[in-house]
């Protein structure tokens, strides 16, 4: 039974994962939705619930665009890690 709120799409793109105060890990995203992503990555030794920074490198032909998101580590398997995207907050102009 599918538990996800949104269907994930198969992808194969480079993602850089980092934990504040740690180095970046290069990995591959294998499926992606607006609310989550599964990354092929070796064991990081991080517990579920850890907040991480993600940088997606999206190839647009002659241009590579970087998309930055925060995510929460939802589960880890021997094949990789499932992450849930955190909601983006809008910045308000100062008065």
């Amino acid at each position: 039974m599918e538990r996800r709120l949104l269907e994930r799409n198969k992808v194969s793109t480079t993602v850089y994962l980092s934990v504040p105060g740690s180095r970046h890990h290069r990995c591959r995203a294998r499926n992606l939705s607006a609310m989550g992503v599964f990354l092929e990555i070796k064991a990081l030794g991080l517990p579920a619930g850890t907040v991480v920074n993600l940088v997606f490198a999206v190839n647009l032909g002659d241009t590579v665009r970087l998309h930055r998101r925060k995510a929460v580590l939802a589960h880890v398997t021997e094949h990789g890690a499932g992450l849930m995207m955190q909601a983006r907050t809008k910045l308000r102009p100062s008065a």
Side-chain angles (χ1 to χ4, degrees):
M1 174 182 261
E2 181 65 47
R3 296 180 304 172
R4 295 183 184 116
L5 297 174
L6 297 172
E7 181 180 338
R8 293 217 180 154
N9 300 300
K10 291 186 181 197
V11 296
S12 182
T13 190
T14 301
V15 179
Y16 297 90
L17 178 147
S18 68
V19 179
S22 178
R23 68 181 186 91
H24 285 79
H25 300 273
R26 183 179 175 169
C27 46
R28 300 293 293 173
R30 287 299 171 199
N31 63 52
L32 175 67
S33 78
M35 295 181 67
V37 63
F38 183 83
L39 302 178
E40 288 183 345
I41 192 165
K42 295 185 171 131
L44 295 172
L46 299 173
T50 301
V51 176
V52 299
N53 298 309
L54 302 176
V55 178
F56 293 83
V58 179
N59 189 339
L60 302 171
D62 293 340
T63 306
V64 174
R65 189 161 186 181
L66 301 178
H67 295 274
R68 292 174 170 80
R69 295 295 302 266
K70 286 194 182 286
V72 177
L73 191 61
H75 65 88
V76 179
T77 70
E78 60 193 42
H79 303 290
L83 296 105
M84 186 170 49
M85 304 293 186
Q86 287 193 329
R88 296 182 112 179
T89 56
K90 293 185 180 182
L91 298 176
R92 292 184 181 176
S94 30

